[in-house]
Amino acid sequence: MGVRIHKLANELGLDSKELIEILQDLGEEVDSHMNTVSKETAEMVTDMVFEEEETTKDIIEVEDDITVKELAEKIDIAPNSLMAELINLGIMATINQELDFETVEEIAAEYGYQVKSIEVDSDDEEDVFGLVNNIEDDPNDLELRPPVITVMGHVDHGKTTLLDAIRKSNVTAGEAGGITQHIGAYQVEVNDEKITFLDTPGHEAFTEMRARGAQATDLAVLVVAADDGIMPQTVEAINHAQAADVPIIVAINKIDKPNAQPDRVKQELTQHGLVVEEWGGDTISVPVSALKQENLDELLEMILLTAEMQELKANPNRPANGVIVEAELDRGRGPVATMLVKNGTLNVGDPIVAGLAYGRVRAMIDDHGDRIEKAGPATPVEVLGLSDVPSAGDPMEVLEDDQQVRKIAEKRQDQRRVEKLERKAAVSLDDLFDQI
Ligand code: GDP
Ligand code: MG
């Protein structure tokens, strides 16, 4: 038995979203099924939150490579004033110069701050595994792109049926027979506008992607069965979406069932901070039957409407980057990766790195099984040509040439090897102590 997250959050004066973020930062396990944490974890977080409240006021956290500019920001003075202060201490520093800890402490004390040094050892890792080409786009280069949707909800509430129904209602008759194979993502067209659906296997993938900074979803469709109501995984889905700051549209499913109670669902939603529009809130809910394919048009329209307000944009005229949705080793074709292009355009022939894998895009296949040459923002696509099978959630990107993608992938492989060795070493030391 654990402690309920939303109850614990209440006690701490946080919302569930904040609490989950804290837990994730701490690397603590959140039980995905029960939406609980262990008692130990709950106690630790409680201690932490209350301790922080007492003392945070005048403490600034400082990394050991803090520069003049960064320190000035932290203690809220102009960089020039700080440089003048430093001269008083006999230090001639430029704005981007790093400061040693003692100097930082001395300056901070003058302005009434205490300094806490924080380690940045996880930085290396993030650098190695993150995007290489992270240049922001000029706003003038941005164009509207389709929204990317994740369908979430409790098991058996109808996620798969809904995804299938949306896809089926959207393909032409000739195609319908052909779409039996599972795909990790697909796109549909409604009133000439595209919507991309990610068929992520459960919340794990969603959380995993987010934890790696690869947030891929713009909008969550929360499926709640009208005959069953809010269940533990429904709450978990709400928490994840809120933690990721992703808007939620509720699909109240199975309204064809005689024992469906849509109003009860709405009532229960309010207990989790989601008040539907007709009750004065701002949560959109749509009653649907995935099985009977009822009211799916309205759901899709609501998705488009919400997406429109988000003004989702990307720059199609830059080298692509995105995220791996799923990947496997195919006997005949080698590593096959389904990826979502988030920004830029991916072309056949592009040199690409995805997690620890690299290569050139040998061929691309869209969600209808057709070969394509180009894939723009928010397009899901199957890619052949990688050296290896990447993991779901891995970032992918196009770089300059074969050498560069290979170099980056090899650096990551080395880092992964080091981590593995470190883990092994830690384990064998434990063994050693056990034996003593
Ligand atoms: P998932 O676990 O959320 O993916 O749920 P599934 O899509 O596998 O659906 C679970 C069960 O509910 C299946 O037997 C579906 O046929 C059934 N189901 C899904 N949607 C509806 C619906 O709108 N009405 C009814 N009556 N049954 C549904
Ligand atoms: Mg399913």
Side-chain angles (χ1 to χ4, degrees), residues 1 76 86 128 146 209 223 249 254 262 305 322 391 395 397 423:
M1 272 309 289
D76 204 19
L86 286 165
V128 178
M209 283 190 200
V223 178
I249 290 183
K254 307 199 185 185
L305 215 73
S391 309
E397 68 184 314
R423 262 199 303 270

Side-chain angles (χ1 to χ4, degrees), residues 42-113:
E43 274 165 8
M44 187 192 68
V45 174
T46 310
D47 284 344
M48 223 184 69
V49 168
F50 285 122
E51 194 179 277
E52 221 166 62
E53 261 177 19
E54 279 166 20
T55 50
T56 41
K57 251 204 188 118
D58 300 317
I59 290 189
I60 48 170
E61 293 192 333
V62 167
E63 295 178 0
D64 54 15
D65 60 351
I66 188 164
T67 63
V68 170
K69 187 170 166 226
E70 289 162 352
L71 179 62
E73 248 167 55
K74 294 232 178 204
I75 60 177
D76 204 19
I77 66 172
N80 281 340
S81 318
L82 177 54
M83 277 147 87
E85 286 283 342
L86 286 165
I87 290 174
N88 284 340
L89 294 175
I91 301 168
M92 297 285 289
T94 59
I95 190 160
N96 288 318
Q97 191 161 321
E98 290 179 13
L99 294 168
D100 63 59
F101 191 73
E102 275 167 28
T103 310
V104 172
E105 243 176 350
E106 196 168 339
I107 296 278
E110 267 177 54
Y111 288 88
Y113 292 96

Side-chain angles (χ1 to χ4, degrees), residues 9 17 24 58 78 99 104 145 179 202 233 244 280 286 296 406 436:
K17 168 180 144 183
Q24 282 168 348
D58 300 317
L99 294 168
V104 172
R145 64 162 175 86
I179 50 154
Q233 285 165 14
V286 185
L296 301 185
R406 183 183 178 145
I436 293 172

Side-chain angles (χ1 to χ4, degrees), residues 154-161 253-254 256-257 289-291:
H154 196 72
V155 65
D156 281 347
H157 278 199
K159 298 179 293 294
T160 302
T161 312
N253 192 28
K254 307 199 185 185
D256 59 289
K257 283 198 152 184
S289 167
L291 192 69

